[in-house]
């Protein structure tokens, strides 16, 4: 089973990040959320591995807890 | 609201058990004469076990209810002698289409290959199935069907159960060695044993209407996400016999169930969908779906089956189909135990195998309901993203979920002997055998599953050695001719291939070359005998 790769993989991570920002520029929150939903589905399918997907979800949830310290 | 009058009425008749000084004792009492109870009772009776079947009503025919019967269910019904009238009356179909708005997103074919006796699906009002089953039950001298016999009390005794049964003539007691509780989603027997029935309730309400009209839709399953005639919700259209169409409309979580069933609300909705008003309403009901199950299906000598044991949402036709598969799984095991040919522990494998099947069905049905009725704004975004992507990317079509239609379970079970050889083909260990067109010794065409019937059987492809030994052996090329090569292909058969088949036509073991002691051990194992 492949494990989720959490080390950096893009030769130029800044450009990859920028591509995501560009994609959302000018979109309403609602359209942004819709775009992200499509992206998640496309990328999840590209990964094509239930275990990796679940690890990614767990990692994202962990970061959600950290980024919202006022959440009880 | 139910506009349909009762279709079939049966009479209460006083039976000799009501006049006995002490309770009569029966090997099996089945409670509930719906499709599941009737199938269980007929199967047991066919296997030589005398059965008493109790039902609290005396009529069938109120509402179409379950309408989709899957290939595996039809194969079971065929073995029980009732598939023919169902096929003749039913609407055969195998194509499903999924629309978003006005556009066809994709179509699927549930049985793309030929060479099977039974079609992928038929649609048939539940009362026609029940009527065919009741007619079959009436032919069987060892099946005693008692209408208006309502079980009102249950107590466990040593090696059995005492039931108190209420009738128009007053109550009487019955003793049963085994009780099959097939008394439906609201199962009174479940209540009598204080068993909890837990799971997930879905908030969305759905309107189910059967409409009589001359329609020119093809016999296919059509499902719409966000159709122009019912914006923001889903809709389903299915053809039934007698020019009746099943329509299923999502109403949302806040719909008022009672108000939505009133003709002044229902008729405009249907008019909008159908584009005309030359139709009449046969039956209307508003549902909220639940997916839940008993933790265990076997409680002492009481075994729960069908909706009494598990409940699913209807997207996928997994209710009646899985219930009938419960009945078939239970019947052969119970018959062997009652005849002393298997240990009582074989019944525990009913719980094991059908619990796993229930979980599988609940999983599918929960995921379908999640997709059809998203609960949060983000769930809806994911759903809509999958629908939008489905137009451009093939992976997303497979995520679109309008109901995954009932398929039989492949049992991972101690009754199977694990494969030691490598196999291809469509046959799976623990799964029901794929059918194949064959010819009998006398040249008459026969389907493989017909030839198998309900007995433990060894299928063997000769390789020059002697036939394997078993209670029943069918040799390919001698007893059954594989004219078209379907058997060889589906079973990945080569000279020497030997297959051990359970009485429910699921595969218990297979070998490329079968040593007699291995076959013998596998046969004991499929009956739950330690070997």
């Amino acid at each position: 089973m492949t494990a989720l790769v959490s080390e950096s993989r893009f030769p130029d991570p800044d450009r990859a990040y920028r591509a995501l920002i560009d994609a959302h520029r000018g979109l309403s929150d609602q359209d942004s959320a819709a775009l992200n939903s499509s992206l998640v589905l496309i990328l999840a399918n590209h990964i094509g591995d239930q275990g990796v997907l679940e690890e990614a979800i767990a990692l994202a949830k962990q970061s959600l807890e950290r980024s919202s310290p006022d959440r009880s | 609201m139910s506009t349909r009058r009762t279709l079939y009425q049966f009479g209460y008749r006083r039976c000799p058990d009501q006049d006995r000084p002490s309770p009569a004792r029966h090997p099996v009492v089945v409670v509930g004469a719906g499709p599941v109870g009737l199938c269980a009772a007929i199967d047991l009776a066919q296997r030589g076990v005398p059965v008493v079947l109790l039902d609290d009503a005396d009529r069938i025919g109120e509402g179409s209810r379950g309408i989709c019967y899957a290939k595996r269910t039809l194969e079971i019904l065929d073995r029980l002698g009732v598939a023919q009238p169902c096929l003749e009356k039913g609407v055969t179909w195998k194509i499903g289409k999924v629309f978003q708005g006005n556009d066809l997103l994709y179509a699927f074919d549930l049985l793309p290959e030929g060479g099977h006796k039974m079609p992928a699906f038929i649609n048939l009002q539940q009362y026609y199935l029940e009527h065919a089953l009741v007619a079959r039950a009436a032919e069987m001298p060892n099946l005693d069907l008692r209408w208006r016999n309502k079980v009102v009390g249950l107590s466990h005794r040593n090696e059995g159960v005492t039931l108190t049964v209420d009738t128009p003539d007053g109550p009487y007691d019955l003793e049963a060695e085994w009780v099959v509780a097939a008394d439906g989603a609201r199962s009174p027997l479940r209540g009598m044993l204080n068993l909890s029935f837990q799971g997930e309730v879905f908030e969305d309400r759905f309107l189910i209407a059967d409409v009589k009209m001359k329609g020119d839709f093809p016999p296919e399953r059509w499902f719409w996400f966000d159709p122009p005639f019912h914006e923001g919700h889903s809709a389903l259209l299915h053809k039934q016999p007698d020019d009746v169409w099943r329509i299923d409309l999502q109403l949302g979580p806040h719909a008022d169930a009672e108000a939505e069933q009133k003709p002044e609300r229902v008729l405009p909705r249907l008019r909008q969908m159908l584009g005309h008003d030359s139709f009449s309403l046969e039956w209307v009901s508003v549902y909220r779906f639940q997916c839940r199950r008993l933790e265990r299906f076997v409680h002492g000598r009481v075994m729960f089956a069908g909706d009494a044991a598990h409940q699913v949402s209807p997207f996928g036709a997994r209710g009646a189909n899985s219930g009938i598969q419960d009945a078939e799984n239970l019947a052969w095991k119970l018959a062997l135990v009652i005849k002393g040919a298997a240990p009582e522990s074989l019944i525990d494998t009913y719980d094991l195998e059908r619990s796993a099947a229930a979980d599988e069905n609940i999983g599918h049905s929960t995921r379908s309901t999640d997709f059809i009725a998203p609960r949060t704004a983000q769930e809806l975004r994911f759903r809509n993203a999958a629908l939008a992507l489905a137009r451009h990317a093939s992976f997303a079509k497979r995520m679109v979920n309008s109901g995954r239609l009932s398929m039989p379970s492949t049992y991972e079970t101690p009754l199977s002997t694990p494969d030691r050889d490598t196999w291809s083909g469509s046959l799976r260990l623990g799964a029901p055998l794929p059918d194949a067109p064959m010819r009998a010794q006398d040249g008459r065409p026969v389907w493989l599953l017909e030839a198998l019937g309900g007995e433990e059987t060894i299928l063997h492809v000769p390789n020059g050695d002697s036939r394997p030994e078993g209670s029943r052996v069918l040799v390919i090329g001698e007893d059954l001719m594989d004219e078209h090569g379907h058997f060889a292909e589906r079973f990945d058969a080569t000279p020497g291939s030997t297959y051990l088949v359970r009485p429910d036509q699921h595969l218990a073991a297979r070998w490329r070359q079968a040593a007699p002691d291995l076959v013998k051990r596998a046969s004991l194992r499929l009956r739950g005998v330690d070997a």
Side-chain angles (χ1 to χ4, degrees):
Chain A
M1 200 189 87
T2 17
L4 179 74
V5 179
S6 55
E7 293 82 40
S8 178
R9 291 186 72 184
F10 283 109
D12 187 347
D14 294 347
R15 275 186 65 197
Y17 186 82
R18 175 70 196 192
L20 290 171
I21 300 301
D22 270 348
H24 285 273
R25 277 270 152 88
L27 295 187
S28 65
D29 276 357
Q30 213 173 345
D31 286 347
S32 260
L35 180 73
N36 273 345
S37 303
S38 289
L39 264 179
V40 167
L41 295 180
I42 292 166
L43 297 176
N45 178 67
H46 183 81
I47 290 164
D49 183 313
Q50 185 77 21
V52 173
L53 175 63
E54 283 171 19
E55 272 189 77
I57 291 169
L59 178 61
K61 286 219 164 176
Q62 210 182 341
S63 66
L64 187 71
E65 283 158 25
R66 279 192 199 140
S67 65
S68 334
D70 52 335
R71 230 171 250 257
S72 53
Chain B
M1 184 193 74
S2 174
T3 55
R4 167 166 289 283
R5 288 183 306 274
T6 299
L7 254 188
Y8 304 108
Q9 180 82 39
F10 306 98
Y12 161 77
R13 270 192 319 219
R14 191 176 175 85
C15 74
D17 282 356
Q18 288 166 263
D19 298 314
R20 288 187 214 284
S22 63
R25 189 169 174 88
H26 298 275
V28 185
V29 173
V30 178
V31 182
V36 178
L38 280 160
C39 283
I42 293 168
D43 208 344
L44 283 161
Q46 267 188 197
R47 293 178 186 281
V49 177
V51 187
V52 174
L53 174 56
L54 307 176
D55 196 88
D56 60 356
D58 60 355
R59 60 188 182 275
I60 47 184
E62 286 166 300
S64 316
R65 304 166 74 190
I67 60 160
C68 297
Y69 299 95
K71 177 173 182 286
R72 181 62 201 150
T73 301
L74 295 169
E75 289 165 354
I76 296 168
L77 293 176
D78 200 30
R79 193 172 53 71
L80 301 181
V82 295
Q84 212 44 47
C86 295
L87 288 170
E88 279 162 19
K89 183 76 196 172
V91 174
T92 295
W93 67 276
K94 62 172 189 166
I95 303 290
K97 286 184 179 156
V98 178
F99 300 86
Q100 187 189 21
N102 277 317
D103 305 330
L104 177 65
L105 281 184
Y106 69 97
F108 55 87
D109 184 339
L110 293 164
L111 188 59
E113 66 174 24
H116 295 265
K117 180 176 184 186
M118 291 299 156
F121 267 95
I122 65 164
N123 287 352
L124 182 71
Q125 290 88 332
Q126 185 171 322
Y127 46 78
Y128 285 127
L129 170 64
E130 288 175 354
H131 185 251
L133 288 166
V134 169
R136 173 74 182 121
E139 293 170 5
M140 311 191 79
N142 57 350
L143 199 169
D144 180 356
L145 173 46
R146 301 178 187 172
W147 301 105
R148 293 191 72 186
N149 273 240
K150 180 186 167 79
V151 176
V152 292
L154 180 156
S155 58
H156 263 103
R157 310 234 152 173
N158 289 340
E159 316 260 290
V161 176
T162 303
L163 297 173
T164 303
V165 182
D166 205 9
T167 73
D169 289 334
Y172 70 104
D173 280 0
L174 263 183
E175 286 185 6
E177 285 168 38
W178 298 90
V179 170
V180 179
D183 52 346
R186 290 190 196 88
S187 177
L189 265 65
R190 209 174 51 216
M192 289 173 206
L193 290 175
N194 280 318
L195 303 174
S196 72
F197 197 47
Q198 282 173 339
E200 210 174 331
V201 179
F202 295 89
E203 296 303 318
D204 260 64
R205 289 181 191 273
F206 289 78
L207 173 79
I208 293 190
D210 280 351
V211 161
K212 191 154 181 137
M213 63 171 184
K214 298 278 184 200
D216 51 5
F217 302 97
E220 298 173 345
R221 177 188 194 264
W222 285 16
F223 192 98
W224 288 264
F225 291 100
D226 197 15
F229 54 81
H230 191 51
E231 272 176 28
H233 292 295
S234 70
L236 177 66
L237 180 70
H238 249 308
K239 187 177 186 175
Q240 299 176 57
D242 306 335
D243 295 315
V244 174
W245 299 78
R246 163 66 55 88
I247 292 167
D248 192 322
L249 297 174
Q250 181 187 20
L251 298 176
H254 307 297
D256 176 341
E258 208 164 307
E260 290 295 347
Q261 295 185 58
K262 296 206 165 104
E264 60 266 31
R265 291 289 276 277
V266 176
L267 294 173
R269 285 192 191 282
L270 297 177
R271 220 170 276 141
Q272 203 174 355
M273 173 172 185
L274 300 169
H276 59 77
D277 53 9
S278 46
F279 60 84
S280 61
L281 268 182
E282 287 265 302
W283 181 59
V284 177
S285 187
V286 171
Y287 283 101
R288 204 161 65 177
F289 302 130
Q290 320 213 348
C291 287
R292 49 187 185 162
R293 55 164 284 192
L294 280 174
E295 197 185 334
R296 283 184 303 122
F297 296 175
V298 178
H299 289 266
R301 292 294 188 94
V302 182
M303 294 144 304
F304 289 83
D307 285 354
H310 46 76
Q311 224 186 330
V312 294
S313 74
F315 300 105
R318 288 168 183 273
N321 286 298
S322 71
I324 289 171
Q325 287 158 34
D326 287 348
E328 121 138 324
N329 188 288
L330 183 55
W332 69 269
K333 294 175 179 173
L334 195 50
L336 286 179
V337 170
I338 287 169
K339 290 175 187 165
E344 214 175 300
S345 59
L346 183 61
I347 300 301
D348 297 334
T349 69
Y350 164 71
D351 177 60
L352 183 99
E353 294 177 353
R354 295 311 299 171
S355 279
D359 286 343
E360 198 178 310
N361 286 315
I362 288 172
H364 278 293
S365 139
T366 301
R367 296 191 287 268
S368 300
T369 310
D370 285 343
F371 195 90
I372 291 164
R375 294 181 190 209
T376 66
Q378 183 55 40
E379 282 182 38
L380 180 62
R381 275 185 210 113
F382 271 129
R383 202 280 296 278
N384 289 343
L387 288 171
L389 283 168
R391 294 165 186 256
H392 315 290
S394 65
F395 84 85
K397 283 184 192 168
R398 294 215 27 209
M399 284 183 169
V400 172
N401 189 341
S402 73
R404 304 286 183 221
L405 286 142
S406 173
M407 296 288 284
S409 290
T410 298
Y411 301 138
E412 280 184 34
T413 169
L415 305 186
S416 291
T417 300
D419 281 339
R420 294 203 307 198
D421 306 311
T422 321
W423 299 87
S424 59
S426 53
L427 177 64
R428 298 273 171 279
L429 185 68
L433 265 56
D435 205 357
M438 311 293 276
R439 277 190 191 279
Q441 237 171 357
D442 59 9
R444 151 185 77 83
V446 62
W447 292 95
L448 177 65
L449 297 184
E450 285 173 353
L452 278 173
E455 268 179 79
E456 180 186 326
T457 305
I458 293 168
L459 291 170
H460 175 66
V461 184
N463 60 343
D465 292 351
S466 55
R467 296 162 80 107
E469 277 180 41
S471 55
R472 182 170 183 243
V473 181
L474 294 173
V475 176
I476 306 300
E478 293 174 20
D479 304 308
L480 291 171
M481 317 299 154
D482 182 21
E483 240 187 358
H484 309 284
H486 287 301
F487 176 86
E489 183 201 324
R490 289 171 190 169
F491 286 63
D492 186 23
T494 48
S497 294
T498 302
Y499 308 86
L500 177 65
V501 187
R502 306 180 356 164
D504 56 6
Q505 303 180 338
H506 284 243
L507 182 70
R510 56 184 163 178
W511 304 268
R512 288 284 176 202
Q513 304 293 332
D517 62 313
L518 292 182
V519 179
K520 199 171 170 193
R521 235 182 294 159
S523 165
L524 288 170
R525 186 171 176 156
L526 88 74
R527 277 173 276 150
V529 182
D530 285 329

